[in-house]
Amino acid sequence: TIDAEDFEAYIRVMPHSEYPSASQCICLAGTQFTETILAQFGLDFPFPFTVPNPAPSFSQNMPFEAGSSKIEPGITPSMDINVAFNSFREYADICGESRLWGGMHFDAAVKNTIDLCDGIGTKSFQAMINLKNGNDAAFPDEAYQEIQPFEEAYRNELESTLGKKEAKKRLKGNKMDKCKGKNDKEDKKRQDDFVLPMMDNINDNNKYD
């Protein structure tokens, strides 16, 4: 047993609720989304695959070099290593477990999130197809009436974890608004160059009601 005052996470812990693990949810949803896309095209992923791996080539395996850790430079890892995965599910599980190993979550937050988020990736793919096909019926207005604006949700989260005084300091120094215009332009370019062509290709090969 370790007293809370004596515990320090291996990796920085963000100021939001510990339970459930959002990272485990993202890991699972991302892999399920990828599996769904590959299935639509009848493609198989080249398992096993290793990380790190320089995109787009899967033929050259570049290791995590010995001593390259940002937390323990010169010490960890003790030798060059690669991490190999034999399935998307194994990747999702290890991805989520890494949050436990880094000290950001307790075991229950990681394990219970799997049931909570199972299926989100597949539904996200279908939502993308519905958006592309203009299927407005799939997005009833009443489903979005209680969605909290991001700025309001962000402020409430900070206040609940840090207290109103500290949250006010954080919000005052927030640079999100200053970056918004630049980020909007970058997002638009990224959408024009990558997302829309990808969706056109998917839509041409798969017609959905």
Side-chain angles (χ1 to χ4, degrees), residues 65-95:
E65 295 181 355
S68 61
S69 169
K70 294 181 179 179
I71 308 299
E72 298 176 307
I75 300 175
T76 303
S78 61
M79 64 181 71
D80 291 355
I81 61 170
N82 286 99
V83 181
F85 301 96
N86 295 305
S87 68
F88 279 120
R89 184 53 193 256
E90 182 182 24
Y91 175 81
D93 289 344
I94 297 298
C95 181

Side-chain angles (χ1 to χ4, degrees), residues 180-197:
K180 189 176 186 302
K182 179 181 178 182
N183 290 342
D184 286 346
K185 292 180 181 179
E186 292 177 351
D187 288 343
K188 178 65 166 59
K189 185 177 187 304
R190 189 178 301 110
Q191 175 177 298
D192 292 341
D193 293 347
F194 175 71
V195 177
L196 293 182

Side-chain angles (χ1 to χ4, degrees), residues 69-132:
S69 169
K70 294 181 179 179
I71 308 299
E72 298 176 307
I75 300 175
T76 303
S78 61
M79 64 181 71
D80 291 355
I81 61 170
N82 286 99
V83 181
F85 301 96
N86 295 305
S87 68
F88 279 120
R89 184 53 193 256
E90 182 182 24
Y91 175 81
D93 289 344
I94 297 298
C95 181
E97 281 288 312
S98 69
R99 312 303 288 176
L100 176 65
W101 303 337
M104 290 81 83
H105 289 286
F106 295 106
D107 189 55
V110 175
K111 289 183 177 179
N112 294 344
T113 300
I114 295 175
D115 290 337
L116 180 65
C117 295
D118 188 24
I120 288 179
T122 304
K123 291 181 179 179
S124 296
F125 177 83
Q126 185 59 57
M128 182 182 73
I129 295 301
N130 285 327
L131 285 170
K132 176 61 181 175

